[in-house]
Amino acid sequence: MSVRWRRTSLIVLLLLLMTGCWDRRELNEQALIFAWGMDLNDDGSYQATAQFAIPHKMGSNSGGAGRAFFTISGNGGSIYEAAKDIQLKVSRAWFAGHRRAILIGERLAKSGLAPILDEYSRNPIVRLRTDILVVKGISVADFLALSYPLEQLSASAFFRIHQASDLNPDLTMRDFLMAHASEEDCPVLPVVTAQAKPLSDEDKQSGAGLRLWGTAIFDKDARLVGNLPQKKAHTVYWIKGQLGSTIRPVKIPGEENEIITELNRLSAKIKTTVENGDILIGIQLGGYGILRENNTQLDLSRSQKIIMVQNYLNEQTADEVKGVIQEIQALGTDVLGFGLAVHRQHPQEWRTLKKDWPRHFRKARVEVEVKARLEETGMTGSSLVLKKNELRP
Amino acid sequence: MRISGRQLFWLVFSIEIMLAMLYSVSATVTAAGQDTWISMLLAGLIGLGIVLLIVKLSMRYPQQTFVQYSQTIMGKWAGRLLIVPYFIMWIFLNSMVLRNSADFVYLALFTKTPLYVIMVTLMILVVYVVFTGGLTGIARCGELMGPIILVVILGTCLLSINHLNWHLLTPVFWDSGGTGILKGTLPAAAFYGDVIMFSMVFAFMSNPKQALSRTMWGIALSSVLVLFGAALVIMTFGPELPARMWAPFFGMTRFISVLGFIQNVDIFVVVIWLFSAFIKLSLFLFVTVYGTAQWLNLKNWRSLIWVLAPLILIFALLPQNATAPIKDYVQQFWLPYVIPINVIGIPLLLWGVSMMRGKSSQRKERPE
């Protein structure tokens, strides 16, 4: 029993453990899931739909338009049971680590997401960095079967369409869970839609009107209670400080057409005051504007005209924002972060307010001030398309 | 066996940081919400206090280990009796750390590998380094792996910066109040309690004067990093979600996405977790084996490995659930018994008695 003998036996023992992984899963023996859909059946069970990539069709330059995926649906009383039902129809064990989008049917959203969200944060393979979208006007199974001409996997199209609208899809799931778990906020999710059935084959090829429709508003029980079309949804994200840029038309009195401005570097400040239970919420929105279209007869080479346009822009935007806020207040769902602001600015009063926040939120007085600065008007003063006699000094 | 001051620093740092970083945040957030960072600050100060107590006590007998000087102070039999709670702590702490380390790897990477395979593999490595290298070997591993742990933690913190919202840290103090913050401090401070293990290590310092400063720096650096880590977690997930995650810091690293292509860096955290677990386990096994040998007056401490290592392994396999043990363990064993008795009570008693007896510390021979 020399030291050398012991060492040798230890090394041999260690070698036994280094023979590789026994629960290996080769890439070409797996089915990769890229999007996952959940919907509610008539009998209350769940329908799950998975979009699988077809590996040998991916990455080829020649067949760019070809679908590189297929979808399979299954039914069951929970996500996992529905998933098991799908597995019966798939020849390979699947891997969900690449899943980037979860699609929720409108009916399921209305009945509440709380029973299904747990799995998405519990499974160690799946990351919290996931996009969730509500599908409107078309069943989730049909929606996932749509192909999109620019992407081989339509799952990337959902994700990118959301990203291209200046929002961060990676954070959707986290923000939803955070808002749902907090005592102040209500969650929102983006809504996508596509042309409803029946679809011809050609429709399926061309994306079938796949579009980002707007935002779904959920209540504290994660039930869908209202929808906002994209234009109004922008306002919500602006107030929440999550929006990068937005397009605002400006109506000039006495002019038939509008001026279109693009606002960048958006900012939002919420100042709250609480007096004897009365809540006043002052919102100050800011941004830097670029004038994109001038369809009026104004000569914008003169700075007082620009200031006039800027004032109209601020007034009209404020009115519109107020309208959206009133619409949301009527639902009693605080998706705007007012509760968070009150909590931070008046922590002591919040202790009593939080017990009945939806009611307080409904009757809170809101003042909106927009302070956008119009900085650029482009390369021309008055419009080049106007005739000389149409120009207004 | 001798270790240098720098080695001691890296040992303290790499042993204290990972468990506190991964597991203390969740419990603290439950009690303190967005004020977790204040709790962490207090916990760090408590940790420094514990270090001060233990090092001051040990430095009265710089040539002796804890087992030796408790006999020097209290006499042969009373001193030996005092080691009983420590022996229990050594065994349980070892098996708990082994269990947690394996659980983490199991949950994060190998969900289909049987847990005991991970444990046995880890244990073989640990036994190897303790048997062949002893404390010197462990200290050299610490010197090598500690900086890597530091770099990876700083790196993950840096990469998490892009979606932080500092508003989530407000309102400060109002929601949790003093009681909430203190309640949150306890579970976090508990994780620094295992610095008591180093009372067996100071006797091996080549320059005992460095013991205090190096241990202090080790605890300070890890508690500051845990404080920042906790604040980043709150700024990423808010004050509600981290309380329900089993390792919020790990959750945050899984969330990292910079420029769309720096993603999935969580594997680095698993690697440094293994580094930390390895150093922690081997040092603790060494302390257990060496301490038990001194306690029982055995000459050949190495042979005890073959008795104690399997015992630890068996205890580690006993709890059935994967993530619950760490919480139960801290709440039911560590906080009510170990912290008041082993970490504070007995050392204070020893210190008091030693002070009364004056500076008559007879110098025993330094351990080999």
Side-chain angles (χ1 to χ4, degrees):
Chain A
M1 281 286 273
S2 67
V3 176
R4 183 178 290 176
W5 187 87
R6 274 199 213 164
R7 263 189 205 162
T8 320
S9 61
L10 194 66
I11 287 168
V12 171
L13 207 67
L14 284 173
L15 276 177
L16 280 178
L17 293 166
M18 293 182 184
T19 49
C21 342
W22 62 44
D23 58 349
R24 80 194 200 290
R25 292 166 142 206
E26 303 278 347
L27 194 62
N28 52 15
E29 286 170 8
Q30 286 184 13
L32 301 181
I33 295 181
F34 277 81
W36 183 267
M38 287 298 285
D39 210 342
L40 205 58
N41 289 323
D42 292 325
D43 60 356
S45 65
Y46 295 111
Q47 185 194 44
T49 309
Q51 188 178 92
F52 294 98
I54 307 175
H56 65 88
K57 281 201 183 169
M58 287 181 72
S60 57
N61 291 327
S62 51
R67 288 157 59 106
F69 66 88
F70 67 104
T71 61
I72 288 178
S73 300
N75 297 307
S78 65
I79 296 186
Y80 242 75
E81 283 169 282
K84 271 266 171 339
D85 195 30
I86 293 180
Q87 184 70 77
L88 298 177
K89 304 170 189 171
V90 184
S91 59
R92 298 175 179 182
W94 70 51
F95 179 71
H98 292 285
R99 187 176 71 196
R100 301 202 76 183
I102 295 167
L103 296 143
I104 307 282
E106 209 177 9
R107 195 193 321 197
L108 175 61
K110 278 181 180 152
S111 83
L113 294 185
I116 67 154
L117 275 179
D118 182 69
E119 194 269 342
Y120 297 123
S121 48
R122 191 174 295 277
N123 189 342
I125 292 176
V126 181
R127 275 148 225 279
L128 217 49
R129 208 174 50 225
T130 310
D131 198 8
I132 314 182
L133 305 124
V134 175
V135 178
K136 186 182 159 68
I138 177 171
S139 84
V140 172
D142 288 344
F143 188 80
L144 276 169
L146 294 173
S147 52
Y148 190 78
L150 277 179
E151 315 286 346
Q152 288 186 318
L153 296 159
S154 65
S156 337
F158 315 144
F159 185 83
R160 288 194 177 148
I161 231 169
H162 188 193
Q163 195 167 34
S165 77
D166 242 335
L167 294 164
N168 192 342
D170 271 344
L171 307 181
T172 315
M173 173 107 174
R174 178 199 73 169
D175 289 347
F176 187 94
L177 290 173
M178 268 168 72
H180 183 58
S182 74
E183 51 187 16
E184 306 97 350
D185 252 4
C186 286
V188 290
L189 285 182
V191 180
V192 282
T193 186
Q195 192 182 312
K197 285 195 291 185
L199 288 171
S200 65
D201 280 350
E202 205 165 310
D203 279 339
K204 283 186 178 168
Q205 285 295 326
S206 66
L210 173 70
R211 56 170 292 187
L212 189 65
W213 184 86
T215 288
I217 295 177
F218 289 79
D219 65 6
K220 280 289 352 141
D221 302 319
R223 267 192 285 269
L224 191 151
V225 290
N227 283 312
L228 287 179
Q230 194 57 35
K231 211 173 154 216
K232 293 178 177 172
H234 268 170
T235 307
V236 175
Y237 291 118
W238 189 357
I239 296 173
K240 283 163 84 85
Q242 292 170 355
L243 191 68
S245 76
T246 180
I247 307 282
R248 291 282 154 186
V250 187
K251 196 123 188 74
I252 308 292
E255 290 283 346
E256 197 184 330
N257 293 319
E258 293 175 328
I259 286 174
I260 310 294
T261 57
E262 179 187 318
L263 298 181
N264 292 312
R265 288 184 277 154
L266 301 176
S267 63
K269 254 189 228 153
I270 303 180
K271 180 111 189 62
T272 60
T273 29
V274 181
E275 263 174 47
N276 324 321
D278 283 337
I279 300 159
L280 174 70
I281 289 164
I283 301 171
Q284 202 184 75
L285 298 174
Y288 292 87
I290 303 170
L291 195 135
R292 288 300 186 192
E293 286 178 36
N294 176 13
N295 302 324
T296 67
Q297 295 175 336
L298 289 182
D299 176 5
L300 290 174
S301 56
R302 296 166 56 178
S303 63
Q304 78 242 48
K305 290 278 154 91
I306 297 177
I307 288 173
M308 183 185 88
V309 173
Q310 182 180 305
N311 290 342
Y312 281 126
L313 166 73
N314 288 341
E315 257 171 51
Q316 287 165 17
T317 310
D319 283 347
E320 206 186 313
V321 169
K322 233 181 205 163
V324 175
I325 292 174
Q326 274 160 5
E327 204 175 311
I328 296 168
Q329 273 185 307
L331 293 170
T333 50
D334 180 7
V335 295
L336 299 164
F338 291 175
L340 288 167
V342 173
H343 185 182
R344 276 167 199 150
Q345 292 164 18
H346 307 280
Q348 193 169 11
E349 288 86 344
W350 175 253
R351 284 181 195 165
T352 50
L353 289 174
K354 72 178 177 191
K355 286 168 198 144
D356 201 6
W357 178 243
R359 191 174 62 85
H360 292 294
F361 174 71
R362 268 176 219 264
K363 63 182 187 87
R365 256 185 330 123
V366 179
E367 279 171 12
V368 182
E369 190 187 7
V370 180
K371 278 189 172 171
R373 276 176 57 104
L374 208 50
E375 284 195 322
E376 262 185 78
T377 56
M379 305 289 283
T380 49
S382 34
S383 178
L384 295 184
V385 296
L386 294 178
K387 299 186 189 76
K388 202 162 186 183
N389 59 357
E390 285 175 338
L391 284 176
R392 286 213 306 200
Chain B
M1 288 187 283
R2 288 276 169 269
I3 62 169
S4 70
R6 196 173 60 201
Q7 285 173 329
L8 181 72
F9 165 77
W10 285 116
L11 276 179
V12 174
F13 169 74
S14 37
I15 280 171
E16 295 301 329
I17 182 125
M18 284 313 284
L19 206 64
M21 196 69 145
L22 287 168
Y23 287 116
S24 73
V25 178
S26 180
T28 309
V29 172
T30 312
Q34 65 268 38
D35 297 325
T36 294
W37 62 275
I38 306 179
S39 294
M40 291 299 181
L41 191 67
L42 294 178
L45 292 177
I46 293 177
L48 290 181
I50 296 173
V51 170
L52 194 67
L53 170 66
I54 291 166
V55 178
K56 281 283 174 206
L57 173 64
S58 301
M59 284 308 111
R60 294 180 69 81
Y61 309 92
Q63 312 292 334
Q64 298 180 11
T65 68
F66 186 80
V67 175
Q68 288 170 316
Y69 65 67
S70 65
Q71 290 174 44
T72 313
I73 297 170
M74 302 298 288
K76 208 172 175 192
W77 288 106
R80 281 202 176 164
L81 203 63
L82 274 184
I83 300 300
V84 175
Y86 288 91
F87 181 72
I88 298 170
M89 178 188 85
W90 289 335
I91 298 289
F92 273 92
L93 188 57
N94 259 306
S95 53
M96 233 21 245
V97 173
L98 178 63
R99 176 63 188 238
N100 276 320
S101 320
D103 272 346
F104 184 82
V105 178
Y106 172 76
L107 275 166
L109 282 185
F110 305 124
T111 40
K112 294 217 167 141
T113 309
L115 197 57
Y116 65 84
V117 174
I118 303 173
M119 285 191 192
V120 170
T121 318
L122 205 53
M123 208 57 193
I124 288 175
L125 273 177
V126 166
V127 167
Y128 173 73
V129 74
V130 175
F131 189 85
T132 57
L135 186 60
T136 324
I138 301 166
R140 284 184 189 155
C141 286
E143 211 176 3
L144 194 72
M145 294 168 176
I148 302 177
I149 295 175
L150 180 65
V151 166
V152 171
I153 285 183
L154 288 178
T156 43
C157 286
L158 271 179
L159 289 175
S160 300
I161 281 176
N162 65 340
H163 29 61
L164 295 183
N165 178 3
W166 67 269
H167 281 298
L168 291 169
L169 288 176
T170 56
V172 178
F173 196 74
W174 272 100
D175 286 357
S176 39
T179 39
I181 289 173
L182 286 181
K183 245 190 220 158
T185 306
L186 275 184
F191 283 91
Y192 300 127
D194 53 16
V195 78
I196 184 76
M197 294 303 246
F198 283 91
S199 57
M200 289 295 296
V201 175
F202 296 132
F204 297 96
M205 296 278 296
S206 51
N207 181 3
K209 282 204 182 91
Q210 291 181 326
L212 183 65
S213 64
R214 296 306 188 272
T215 320
M216 284 282 208
W217 276 116
I219 290 281
L221 182 61
S222 37
S223 60
V224 163
L225 284 178
V226 171
L227 187 155
F228 274 111
L232 289 176
V233 164
I234 303 271
M235 286 192 272
T236 311
F237 293 124
E240 296 288 337
L241 298 185
R244 307 170 199 184
M245 303 162 99
W246 57 275
F249 184 80
F250 187 61
M252 187 180 78
T253 53
R254 284 163 64 84
F255 202 71
I256 287 174
S257 167
V258 179
L259 303 173
F261 70 92
I262 303 178
Q263 295 179 336
N264 306 357
V265 292
D266 40 315
I267 193 67
F268 290 104
V269 176
V270 180
V271 170
I272 58 165
W273 168 262
L274 274 176
F275 282 177
S276 174
F278 169 70
I279 295 171
K280 192 165 187 148
L281 275 171
S282 28
L283 185 83
F284 286 7
L285 182 68
F286 170 79
V287 166
T288 309
V289 170
Y290 199 87
T292 312
Q294 284 193 328
W295 186 41
L296 302 175
N297 256 344
L298 295 176
K299 262 264 158 67
N300 185 4
W301 61 271
R302 281 190 171 85
S303 58
L304 264 180
I305 294 178
W306 310 117
V307 182
L308 292 177
L311 194 68
I312 288 161
L313 200 60
I314 290 166
F315 273 120
L317 280 165
L318 283 182
Q320 150 216 19
N321 181 296
T323 39
I326 179 77
K327 260 192 178 160
D328 294 351
Y329 173 72
V330 169
Q331 294 296 341
Q332 292 167 12
F333 177 64
W334 195 256
L335 270 179
Y337 300 111
V338 176
I339 293 283
I341 299 173
N342 290 18
V343 180
I344 297 171
I346 295 178
L348 261 184
L349 176 78
L350 288 178
W351 198 35
V353 174
S354 161
M355 287 293 272
M356 279 195 310
R357 289 192 157 188
K359 254 215 168 285
S360 65
S361 60
Q362 74 244 48
R363 306 233 156 182
K364 272 196 181 178
E365 267 182 38
R366 297 193 70 161
E368 280 311 312

